[in-house]
Amino acid sequence: MAERQATIASASGLHARPAKLFVQAVQEKKIPITIAAEGGPDLNAGSILSLIGLGAGKGTVVTLKSDAEGADAALDDLVKLLETDLDAE
């Protein structure tokens, strides 16, 4: 099981444009990936509805997990994305 933590950098958190960009990136990986806020349940990282349910704002630490082949590189890419201010791009 590959696991990474990331701190959300975007001012709007995982809402609006940052959520859309993140979900697109997860879906492009074509492997199952979960995301969880501290102390919360693992949710489908490739679902806008899951991200809305996560309620993650700027500064929230989230954990990404996957047990699929190629997960290490995929999670590294997604951590970089979350730690970039997607509102500013």
Side-chain angles (χ1 to χ4, degrees):
M1 171 78 67
E3 183 175 318
R4 303 285 188 280
Q5 286 193 323
T7 302
I8 297 172
S10 295
S12 63
L14 281 179
H15 302 284
R17 184 169 181 271
K20 182 178 178 183
L21 293 173
F22 181 72
V23 166
Q24 286 173 343
V26 170
Q27 292 173 346
E28 287 171 4
K29 303 299 181 193
K30 298 187 184 336
I31 60 174
I33 297 170
T34 63
I35 186 169
E38 288 181 298
D42 290 341
L43 302 172
N44 177 357
S47 163
I48 289 283
L49 292 177
S50 290
L51 292 188
I52 291 169
L54 190 67
K58 181 175 181 166
T60 301
V61 176
V62 295
T63 302
L64 302 171
K65 296 179 187 175
S66 180
D67 59 3
E69 186 175 330
D72 285 310
L75 295 185
D76 288 343
D77 289 346
L78 293 170
V79 165
K80 288 177 192 171
L81 188 65
L82 288 174
E83 294 185 340
T84 299
D85 184 356
L86 299 173
D87 291 312
E89 293 186 357

